[in-house]
């Protein structure tokens, strides 16, 4: 079989569009030139982000046909969030091959190799894998091998709207290393659907990422509006009135995500983490002249609350059991210094039941945070825990009081009452370690009218709404200096009038 003449991808797209009675907009020329430059230049890790309804999947389908026309031995795997979306891409590629004059040499003699989800072109060598195969991201990929993997819209709301789904998506994508040939190419195509998008250019501290998921990928991002001057990059199709209508119909959050390509949730964030103040200071206890002072980052604390919102369940399943502590300084600011998601070890149930394991962790947390008391929410399963918690306190000899609390207000109302005033006034400080955990994720994704994850939010709200606990008057099995009770001052009372 003679080798086909070498043609540019721009020429390939222009000819096909001309046959279909369409023009090739400048935006598409920019994308085609970038894809060809990456392919010719040997870039093998690529990310293409273009705003919604820009025809990026259509162009990528033509890209697949073009590289097959240049090298019929290539094996391409198309992945999408769902099987029907991947099949749509496969049909697009197959249709281009059938109609494009540059692809005549690819048409096979046997039509049984020309299926909806896979097809094999006429090629010099015989391989077990088809020329193109389409799969949903959660489908069975075992045994497949590919020279090119196209990840077309693998991130959609159904795969990215919860932390569990996002982690499952990433695990599936990590498996591609076993499918892609050593010198193979992987191309991600899509738009961000979450602040924690796998397309994010910066690592997310609260996910404890050392680097973004697609670190090292060559990127091309084309938002609808130019970030420099705000002009539309495709004014013929998106005139000002159309842009305005899209913005109004979709809302600002979704417009930023899908049209401006800014990794953000597609809904408006109700509790904005950016309104909190991050800090790194640690607890310091100092005693002098009979007075004990507790400071964090040089700021003196005058009160504190520790709240445990208990729950049972195996790790990563069901509601989370969360304990948190919040300090209040002399200026009236709130300092969220510690927060733990508690889990029990199912392998240790025979020697210590889950309730005892959780109580032990809560006592250790309160002791590390210099807390004089632990408040426990006794709604639901927390009803029988106070006695177990007191036993754990006695065994540890920490001197903490255990105070029972019943919440009568709805969880949503408690969270709003606690956070809204502090966020509006910028008086909530959050320790760096807390910021890097699940608490900030809960804030970004929490919606009052949706079943959102809110266990940490509820525990912190309990701390904020509680009257601060004073150390004076509490029994102490182990002597702990009082950092909350100021030494009385004696002033002279004899004056000459």
């Amino acid at each position: 079989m003679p080798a086909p003449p070498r043609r540019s991808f721009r020429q390939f797209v222009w000819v096909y569009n001309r046959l279909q009675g369409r023009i090739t907009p400048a935006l598409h020329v920019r994308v085609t030139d970038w894809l060809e430059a990456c392919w010719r230049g040997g870039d093998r890790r690529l990310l293409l982000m273009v705003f919604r309804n820009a025809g990026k999947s259509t162009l990528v389908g033509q890209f697949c046909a073009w590289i097959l026309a240049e090298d019929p031995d290539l094996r391409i795997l198309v992945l999408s969030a769902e099987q029907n979306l991947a099949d749509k891409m496969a049909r697009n590629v197959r249709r281009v091959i059938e109609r494009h004059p540059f692809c005549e040499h690819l048409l096979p003699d046997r039509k049984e190799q020309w299926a909806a989800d896979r097809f094999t072109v006429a090629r010099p060598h015989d391989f077990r894998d088809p020329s193109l195969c389409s799969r949903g991201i959660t489908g069975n990929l075992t045994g497949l091998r590919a020279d090119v993997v196209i990840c077309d819209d693998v991130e959609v709301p159904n795969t990215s709207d919860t932390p569990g789904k996002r982690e499952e998506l990433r695990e599936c994508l990590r498996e591609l290393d076993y499918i892609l040939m050593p010198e193979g190419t992987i191309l991600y195509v899509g738009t961000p659907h979450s602040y924690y998008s796998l397309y994010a250019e910066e690592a997310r501290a609260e996910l404890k990422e050392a680097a973004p998921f697609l670190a090292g990928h060559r990127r091309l991002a084309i938002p609808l509006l130019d970030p420099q001057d705000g002009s539309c990059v495709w004014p013929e199709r998106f005139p000002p009135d159309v842009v305005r209508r899209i913005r109004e119909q979709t809302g600002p959050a979704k417009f930023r995500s899908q049209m401006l390509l800014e990794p953000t949730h597609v809904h408006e964030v109700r509790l904005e983490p950016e309104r909190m103040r991050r800090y790194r200071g640690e607890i310091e206890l100092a005693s002098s002249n009979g007075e004990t002072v507790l400071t964090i980052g040089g700021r003196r604390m005058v009160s504190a609350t520790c709240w445990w919102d208990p729950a049972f369940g195996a790790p990563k399943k069901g509601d989370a059991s969360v304990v948190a502590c919040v300090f209040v300084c002399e200026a009236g600011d709130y300092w969220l210094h510690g927060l733990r998601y508690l889990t029990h070890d199912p392998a240790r149930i025979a020697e210590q039941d889950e309730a005892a394991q959780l109580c032990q962790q809560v006592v250790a947390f309160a002791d590390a945070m210099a807390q004089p008391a632990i408040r426990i929410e006794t709604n639901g399963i927390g009803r029988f825990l106070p006695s177990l918690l007191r036993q754990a306190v006695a065994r540890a000899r920490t001197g903490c009081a255990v105070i029972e609390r019943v919440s009568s207000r709805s969880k949503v109302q408690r969270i709003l009452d606690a956070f809204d005033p502090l966020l509006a006034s910028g008086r909530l400080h959050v320790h760096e370690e807390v910021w890097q955990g699940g608490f900030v994720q809960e804030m970004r994704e929490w919606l009052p009218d949706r079943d959102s994850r809110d266990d940490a939010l509820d525990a912190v709200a309990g701390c904020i709404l509680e009257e601060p606990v004073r150390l004076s008057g509490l029994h102490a099995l182990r002597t702990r200096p009082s950092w909350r009770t100021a030494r009385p001052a004696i002033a002279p009372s004899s004056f000459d009038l």
Side-chain angles (χ1 to χ4, degrees):
M1 180 185 298
R6 183 165 174 167
R7 299 181 174 94
S8 71
F9 184 35
R10 182 196 291 197
Q11 183 184 10
F12 185 93
V13 171
W14 185 88
V15 169
Y16 188 73
N17 286 343
R18 186 68 177 265
L19 290 174
Q20 302 301 313
R22 299 193 298 257
I23 64 170
T24 304
L27 171 67
H28 287 189
V29 171
R30 180 179 174 187
V31 174
T32 58
D33 289 352
W34 181 80
L35 285 171
E36 180 173 5
C38 294
W39 182 256
R40 303 282 194 209
D43 293 299
R44 296 296 179 244
R45 296 294 182 270
L46 308 174
L47 169 59
L48 173 63
M49 289 196 297
V50 187
F51 57 91
R52 290 280 293 272
N53 296 323
K56 57 184 177 296
S57 293
T58 299
L59 280 175
V60 171
Q62 295 182 45
F63 175 72
C64 292
W66 175 69
I67 61 176
L68 281 173
E70 289 218 329
D71 184 359
D73 277 340
L74 287 175
R75 295 162 295 177
I76 303 173
L77 172 63
V78 175
L79 291 178
S80 294
E82 298 175 0
Q83 181 68 48
N84 63 331
L85 295 176
D87 290 346
K88 185 178 179 180
M89 171 69 80
R91 288 193 298 269
N92 179 29
V93 179
R94 192 179 61 177
R95 185 166 55 250
V96 172
I97 292 175
E98 291 172 341
R99 299 178 180 180
H100 204 298
F102 294 175
C103 298
E104 291 178 348
H105 62 288
L106 297 180
L107 296 176
D109 296 329
R110 294 181 297 172
K111 289 298 182 182
E112 63 268 18
Q113 297 180 333
W114 214 240
D117 62 341
R118 59 170 57 206
F119 62 82
T120 301
V121 302
R123 54 190 180 186
H125 301 93
D126 187 25
F127 295 100
R128 180 172 59 89
D129 297 290
S131 298
L132 188 143
C133 178
S134 59
R135 287 286 186 273
I137 188 63
T138 58
N140 183 17
L141 304 178
T142 304
L144 291 175
R145 294 294 180 270
D147 304 294
V148 179
V149 175
I150 307 293
C151 294
D152 180 44
D153 280 331
V154 292
E155 178 178 297
V156 297
N158 286 341
T159 61
S160 64
D161 61 355
T162 68
K165 290 180 181 179
R166 289 193 293 271
E167 182 55 34
E168 182 181 0
L169 173 61
R170 283 161 169 75
E171 284 299 319
C172 291
L173 294 174
R174 292 186 185 104
E175 290 295 314
L176 296 181
D177 289 336
Y178 300 104
I179 296 172
L180 190 65
M181 299 303 289
E183 298 300 320
T185 297
I186 183 167
L187 168 62
Y188 285 87
V189 185
T191 55
H193 285 264
S194 166
Y195 176 79
Y196 301 104
S197 171
L198 60 91
Y199 309 134
E201 196 167 3
E202 298 178 353
R204 301 305 187 202
E206 53 267 36
L207 298 182
K208 298 182 179 179
E209 289 182 331
F213 184 76
L214 297 183
H217 283 58
R218 182 172 174 180
R219 296 167 173 258
L220 175 63
I222 307 179
L224 175 62
L225 304 179
D226 188 284
Q228 301 297 326
D229 57 16
S231 61
C232 182
V233 298
W234 196 353
E236 298 85 3
R237 184 169 181 177
F238 296 90
D241 60 320
V242 173
V243 174
R244 183 170 56 254
R245 185 175 69 249
I246 294 174
R247 192 193 297 268
E248 292 172 352
Q249 291 178 347
T250 62
K254 194 169 184 178
F255 187 84
R256 289 197 305 271
S257 171
Q258 299 298 287
M259 306 307 287
L260 301 184
L261 309 180
E262 299 176 8
T264 184
H265 296 300
V266 294
H267 57 76
E268 286 298 310
V269 177
R270 180 61 178 83
L271 304 175
E272 299 181 56
E274 285 74 22
R275 292 178 176 268
M276 301 188 300
R277 303 181 181 182
R278 298 166 69 164
Y279 71 94
R280 297 177 179 272
E282 300 301 333
I283 293 175
E284 295 183 7
L285 283 168
S287 298
S288 63
N289 298 325
E291 181 182 11
T292 300
V293 175
L294 187 148
T295 59
I296 297 177
R299 300 281 291 272
R300 181 173 181 174
M301 302 295 122
V302 296
S303 64
T305 302
C306 180
W307 183 281
W308 180 22
D309 182 12
F312 289 147
K316 298 185 179 180
K317 296 182 180 179
D319 292 339
S321 186
V322 180
V323 60
C325 77
V326 173
F327 291 88
V328 180
C329 68
E330 292 176 312
D333 287 3
Y334 288 69
W335 301 69
L336 174 53
H337 193 74
L339 185 146
R340 298 286 186 277
Y341 287 89
L342 309 174
T343 60
H344 70 276
D345 184 358
R348 297 182 54 219
I349 293 296
E351 59 181 271
Q352 189 178 42
D353 61 62
E354 54 262 50
Q357 290 185 42
L358 295 179
C359 288
Q360 187 178 59
Q361 294 176 52
V362 170
V363 171
F365 172 84
D367 187 43
M369 297 291 143
Q371 294 298 299
I374 304 169
R375 279 174 161 79
I376 178 172
E377 185 175 346
T378 56
N379 299 46
I381 66 161
R383 196 170 305 163
F384 69 92
L385 286 174
S387 59
L388 297 177
L389 186 58
R390 291 188 179 97
Q391 294 175 21
V393 169
R395 286 193 297 270
R397 301 183 63 81
T398 62
C400 277
V402 175
I403 303 173
E404 302 176 33
R405 284 289 182 265
V406 176
S407 298
S408 56
R409 281 179 290 179
S410 70
K411 184 182 292 189
V412 169
Q413 194 58 50
R414 290 200 308 269
I415 292 173
L416 291 175
D417 289 347
F419 284 97
D420 271 351
L422 296 184
L423 293 177
S425 59
R427 292 168 52 214
L428 180 57
H429 304 251
V430 179
H431 193 271
E432 184 72 23
E433 183 178 337
V434 177
W435 192 284
Q436 294 179 1
F439 170 68
V440 174
Q441 291 186 65
E442 286 192 15
M443 287 192 72
R444 291 192 190 281
E445 299 178 338
W446 185 79
L447 290 175
D449 57 352
R450 197 175 78 173
D451 186 18
S452 307
R453 187 183 178 196
D454 56 10
D455 302 300
L457 291 174
D458 193 31
V460 176
C463 292
I464 294 172
L465 295 175
E466 273 294 300
E467 182 70 21
V469 180
R470 302 296 176 182
L471 190 62
S472 58
L474 297 179
H475 61 282
L477 299 179
R478 186 176 72 189
T479 302
R480 184 194 295 279
S482 171
W483 53 269
R484 303 164 55 104
T485 307
R487 184 181 182 186
I490 302 176
S493 58
S494 58
F495 300 97
D496 293 329
L497 302 177

